Amino acid sequence: MRQWRIAATALLATALFVGGAPAAAQAADIGQIIISTNGPNPGIIHVTVHSTDPIASVHADLLDPETAAVVATADDFVLADDQAPDRIHYVTAAPVVMEPGTYEAVVTVTAVDGTTARTNEMIWNYQIVATVEDLTVDRPAIDLDHRDVTVSGVLRGRWPGSGEVRPLGGATLNHWVYMGGDEPIVTNADGTFTRTFTMAGTINTMEFWYGSGFPHTRSGDSATYTVTVVPQQTRVRVQADKRRANAGDPITLTGRVERRGVNGWTAVPQQTSLWVDNGCDDTGCAFGYNDIQLNADGTFTTTTTARRTGYFRVSVTGYADFLAYSTGQTKIVRVTGTP
């Protein structure tokens, strides 16, 4: 019996040896780690881990890139709403609060089995977001006699992380006003500003946004205001130098173009556009042209040729958006023959 037990023990040992030693546990596979920040509040740190293995923790150190000193840490990562089978997306439950600046984020991801992976990324947008607010104008509607518009507003900045809003004094604002010049606007100590523009009467939207001058600051959305142009009434008086003509004869038109302004009827600006139609009747006009020079008093003289029986019509086609359309016409000129 003793010999059988020894043989049995040897057989069991052989069986265990043949079966092999137990396999070592495989480490978790942590793939690419992507670090990003939230545009509206860059204090929210986003970490995306490409892995199908369970993750135990995510830790972030925020470093001063010049000194490598740790300025802030974050361990309060929670799952974000957007997930995928091979990707886990985390965000900090609360913003990381630091002074505005540039930082290096070093993120360490630890799997449930203790496997760790680390990556780093520069955070450039941990900046104050500046926006122009409370934009007002002293004249929301303009006309040719009232073209100056005074614009006022406040430049404020939203601090990253804390979300605190403060006025930004001594900063430079960029602006775009059609034909309004490009001299920058500098805000007062309390962030307010005022500037007067002479409006061109066309493309009447003004736009303002942060330019420079405040450290670690970037521009948010621009602020716009569109003024309304009230066209002034116009009138045209025109006459031809003859009532009868042969086709091809010269016809001289003289007249005056006026607008109704604050002082009653007065001459339109010399830059006002006019259009002349020749030989008009119920079927239309023979041809037209617009190279007419106005005098300072609103009078004009232009010579054309007789084409067919009809009247000559002069139209105000505009001076920016300041003048309303109107027309004036001569009496009928009877034309014989063909040109």
Side-chain angles (χ1 to χ4, degrees):
M1 291 296 293
R2 183 183 179 86
Q3 292 179 348
W4 183 87
R5 282 198 298 268
I6 294 173
T9 302
L11 182 61
L12 178 59
T14 302
L16 290 172
F17 179 79
V18 172
Q26 185 176 358
D29 182 15
I30 301 176
Q32 184 182 21
I33 301 172
I34 300 173
I35 305 170
S36 60
T37 55
N38 184 288
N41 190 338
I44 301 294
I45 309 298
H46 294 241
V47 174
T48 301
V49 183
H50 287 255
S51 175
T52 56
D53 291 303
I55 302 299
S57 66
V58 178
H59 173 84
D61 289 320
L62 286 304
L63 281 62
D64 183 325
E66 295 184 359
T67 66
V70 176
V71 177
T73 61
D75 290 292
D76 60 338
F77 284 90
V78 297
L79 290 173
D81 293 335
D82 55 326
Q83 302 294 331
D86 61 344
R87 184 193 66 209
I88 312 171
H89 185 189
Y90 296 93
V91 295
T92 49
V96 178
V97 179
M98 304 178 289
E99 287 299 312
T102 299
Y103 297 94
E104 181 181 9
V106 180
V107 171
T108 302
V109 176
T110 304
V112 170
D113 69 353
T115 302
T116 63
R118 180 175 296 174
T119 191
N120 64 296
E121 185 70 44
M122 295 300 295
I123 296 179
W124 304 99
N125 70 332
Y126 197 84
Q127 299 172 317
I128 301 165
V129 179
T131 54
V132 175
E133 300 176 348
D134 303 335
L135 198 65
T136 59
V137 299
D138 68 335
R139 180 174 286 122
I142 60 174
D143 59 34
L144 192 53
D145 294 306
H146 306 94
R147 298 172 56 185
D148 289 345
V149 176
T150 299
V151 185
S152 301
V154 183
L155 180 67
R156 295 189 177 98
R158 182 177 295 277
W159 259 244
S162 68
E164 181 184 0
V165 176
R166 309 177 198 168
L168 302 182
T172 298
L173 288 182
N174 292 332
H175 66 273
W176 187 89
V177 177
Y178 182 62
M179 297 183 68
D182 56 2
E183 182 182 355
I185 301 170
V186 179
T187 60
N188 301 316
D190 60 355
T192 60
F193 67 92
T194 301
R195 175 64 63 86
T196 299
F197 298 95
T198 299
M199 303 301 294
T202 185
I203 315 178
N204 298 298
T205 295
M206 301 176 286
E207 185 174 8
F208 303 86
W209 66 96
Y210 169 79
S212 61
F214 212 87
H216 306 299
T217 301
R218 60 187 173 91
S219 179
D221 295 335
S222 61
T224 61
Y225 193 98
T226 301
V227 297
T228 301
V229 180
V230 180
Q232 291 182 340
Q233 182 183 355
T234 60
R235 67 182 181 187
V236 181
R237 289 174 287 184
V238 59
Q239 60 185 13
D241 65 343
K242 52 179 70 82
R243 296 289 302 280
R244 294 181 178 274
N246 293 320
D249 285 352
I251 300 289
T252 298
L253 306 177
T254 56
R256 182 180 177 89
V257 184
E258 297 173 300
R259 65 183 177 94
R260 191 178 187 118
V262 293
N263 297 316
W265 289 103
T266 187
V268 297
Q270 288 183 263
Q271 299 87 350
T272 300
S273 299
L274 302 180
W275 180 266
V276 177
D277 286 308
N278 184 325
C280 300
D281 57 23
D282 293 342
T283 64
C285 303
F287 75 99
Y289 62 95
N290 63 353
D291 54 339
I292 304 172
Q293 179 62 51
L294 273 168
N295 300 314
D297 62 355
T299 59
F300 65 89
T301 299
T302 180
T303 299
T304 182
T305 57
R307 292 296 185 94
R308 68 181 189 184
T309 296
Y311 56 85
F312 295 82
R313 180 172 61 204
V314 176
S315 304
V316 176
T317 56
Y319 173 68
D321 296 331
F322 286 126
L323 299 180
Y325 175 84
S326 68
T327 63
Q329 63 187 50
T330 68
K331 294 180 179 180
I332 292 177
V333 177
R334 301 199 175 275
V335 178
T336 56
T338 56

